[in-house]
Amino acid sequence: MEANESHGGDGTWDLTDKVHVEGGREEALSQAREMSLSLVPGRSDAEKYGRTVFQTSETSWLVELTWSVWYEHSDHPSTLSSHFRISVAELVATQEAPVAEPRMKGWMSRISRR
């Protein structure tokens, strides 16, 4: 799952969750479809959100969530929104990152950087 997050005004897509599905392609598509219709990332109170779901391809969904808030000193509620994508993908390879070596301290560090 990817979520759109704003960092200083620049919207970026971040991989926020990976869900392994046992079984084949049809099981993965079914679970992804169900998640697009029910998931509110990081929340358990899904009934407080509106939802618009777009299927963008056979294996991908774009979900817009909306919710209403009433700000102090406001005479009407405001509607906010966020969105995320769900895509079904087949895992084809993984490779663990090598463990970082401790940094040298003192004058040895300065010599090794040259």
Side-chain angles (χ1 to χ4, degrees), residues 1 4-5 13-14 20 23 30 35 37 44-46 48 58 68 77 88 94 107 109 112-113:
M1 180 175 60
N4 184 270
E5 299 182 4
W13 286 94
D14 294 325
H20 177 76
S30 178
M35 288 172 64
L37 297 171
S44 60
D45 51 354
K48 294 181 180 180
E58 181 186 356
S68 182
V88 174
T94 60
W107 65 271
S109 170
S112 68
R113 285 186 283 192

Side-chain angles (χ1 to χ4, degrees), residues 45-98:
D45 51 354
E47 70 281 351
K48 294 181 180 180
Y49 294 83
R51 173 183 310 269
T52 304
V53 179
F54 302 93
Q55 187 166 0
T56 58
S57 75
E58 181 186 356
T59 59
S60 298
W61 292 261
L62 175 64
V63 181
E64 178 186 43
L65 298 175
T66 57
W67 62 97
S68 182
V69 295
W70 201 294
Y71 291 111
E72 190 176 340
H73 307 297
S74 179
D75 59 351
H76 61 280
S78 295
T79 300
L80 304 176
S81 69
S82 68
H83 54 284
F84 62 94
R85 293 187 286 216
I86 296 176
S87 301
V88 174
E90 180 181 1
L91 177 63
V92 296
T94 60
Q95 180 177 334
E96 296 293 323

Side-chain angles (χ1 to χ4, degrees), residues 24-31 33 58:
R25 177 180 170 86
E26 291 308 313
E27 289 84 2
L29 289 171
S30 178
Q31 183 164 341
R33 189 176 308 110
E58 181 186 356

